[in-house]
Amino acid sequence: MGNDNAWENMANGIHLCHEVGIPVTFNTCLLKNDFYNGSFEEIMDVSKNFNGSILQLIKPKPAGGWLKTNIEEFSKEDEEYILGKVDKYNLEKEYKEYPFISPMIREESDSMFGCTAGGTDRFYINAKGDLQPCEFLNISFGNIQDNDFDEIYNKMREVFKEPSSCILCEKYARKIYELKKKNKLLTLPLTPEVSEEIYSNWERKGKVEFYEKLNKM
């Protein structure tokens, strides 16, 4: 990013992975209009030409540099339209050479995994060493440079003990941004101390039946 040779470096990295037999996956984060103006199809062609195995389709999130911006929401009709495209590429024979698409809008639904942050399915350690519930939720439970990983992780798991379909990065984006300004923080995530103001009394409503069914198997 921000380097004139970035694309060339990426392409070379992909080539080296293929050379030693490592499958390559991609992810893309597209705004709503990109599913209507042909950008989605162009990206699928690029990922196919790079011989990708999976493409993760990320829903735009109000996180990081986008915290203070208004991201256009996807309506139910938009989501159905997008999933129709996903199913076309994943299921129809003429698209068998394309990578499999893993769409976040389906995976995060009540009928699937819900919000997977906090070690339910994922967590994130940023470049500074902060352990975040996920890359889109700009709070920290501690830094692995200062404390033992197990201690930080177990603290986070207590907060996320019960799975939920509540998409926290969307629900608490405004609050996170307000605390960043109030505490005059220059970077994200929020410090562990300030982060506690978010998760100490948040509401995570929304039951996910998938895990209950899984436990009964």
Side-chain angles (χ1 to χ4, degrees), residues 7 25-31 34-35 39-47 54-61 66 74 82 86 99-105 135-136:
W7 186 266
T25 66
F26 300 100
N27 63 47
T28 185
C29 184
L30 300 177
L31 298 176
D34 292 321
F35 292 98
S39 295
F40 172 71
E41 285 77 8
E42 290 179 15
I43 287 174
M44 290 305 301
D45 286 339
V46 170
S47 57
I54 298 174
L55 183 135
Q56 183 186 31
L57 194 56
I58 300 174
K59 180 184 178 185
K61 304 282 188 177
W66 282 4
F74 290 19
I82 294 166
V86 169
F100 175 81
I101 305 171
S102 176
M104 186 175 282
I105 56 175
E135 59 268 42
F136 298 111

Side-chain angles (χ1 to χ4, degrees), residues 13 20 117 137 154 203:
V20 296
L137 188 55
N154 290 333
E203 294 183 1

